[in-house]
Amino acid sequence: MESFEVQIKGKTFPIKSIRNLNGHNIGHYRVHGGKSVPTAKGGPNIKMEEGELYAIETFASTGKGLIHEDGECSHFMKNFDAPMVPLRHPKAKGLLKHIDQHYSTLAFCRRWLDRAGETGHIMALKSLVNAGIIDPCPPLADKPGSYTA
């Protein structure tokens, strides 16, 4: 991918593979199954087994080719291996029930919670994140002014 370029708004940019994002195997209601497939040279050598499913994802950037978490988080995903912890906050219990019923372990965004009538969910969602039940999926960015895909 390093030898390619993209034209954006009439300007040409070289693109680089994002080295710190990988493809991965996929399980039933488990989007990130545990095995990683590097998209650039280096990284772990994994053995794909017959019957496994993989998302071979290529990620590109006009920046350095290294991303970091940046910005306010609006997307979340239930931890597949979420611990069983007592929830004291009734709103957190209700929100977790909604998440289990509608998204299970698939990703969702706060906007969908609002549209479903789960208003005032921010503190309840924060409680679930702090308990390790829900994982935040923050925006990823390369250097300022670069484009990523």
Side-chain angles (χ1 to χ4, degrees):
M1 183 183 300
E2 308 294 322
S3 64
F4 294 100
E5 54 192 26
V6 62
Q7 191 172 36
I8 302 171
K9 298 178 185 175
K11 189 171 179 183
T12 301
F13 298 91
I15 59 172
K16 296 179 181 176
S17 180
I18 297 177
R19 297 183 304 276
N20 58 339
L21 286 179
N22 297 317
H24 50 84
N25 69 322
I26 302 170
H28 185 67
Y29 280 95
R30 188 172 195 157
V31 176
H32 299 104
K35 287 185 179 179
S36 292
V37 180
T39 58
K41 288 182 183 179
N45 285 332
I46 63 137
K47 184 174 183 180
M48 293 181 178
E49 305 291 336
E50 184 176 341
E52 291 179 328
L53 299 173
Y54 285 83
I56 305 299
E57 301 172 310
T58 54
F59 300 97
S61 173
T62 60
K64 295 178 181 179
L66 292 170
I67 53 94
H68 60 277
E69 296 177 358
D70 185 33
E72 182 182 349
C73 185
S74 63
H75 289 71
F76 299 86
M77 185 181 292
K78 185 174 179 196
N79 181 341
F80 190 83
D81 299 313
M84 292 297 292
V85 295
L87 296 172
R88 297 182 192 169
H89 192 277
K91 190 83 171 164
K93 288 179 185 179
L95 182 59
L96 181 58
K97 182 178 179 182
H98 175 83
I99 290 167
D100 284 337
Q101 289 175 343
H102 294 90
Y103 314 114
S104 185
T105 56
L106 300 177
F108 61 92
C109 65
R110 290 188 354 217
R111 181 180 66 244
W112 295 352
L113 297 176
D114 287 333
R115 288 180 182 167
E118 295 292 330
T119 57
H121 63 267
I122 293 176
M123 291 305 295
L125 187 56
K126 183 175 173 61
S127 174
L128 296 173
V129 168
N130 290 342
I133 298 169
I134 301 295
D135 292 327
C137 304
L140 303 175
D142 199 325
K143 70 179 188 177
S146 65
Y147 298 94
T148 58

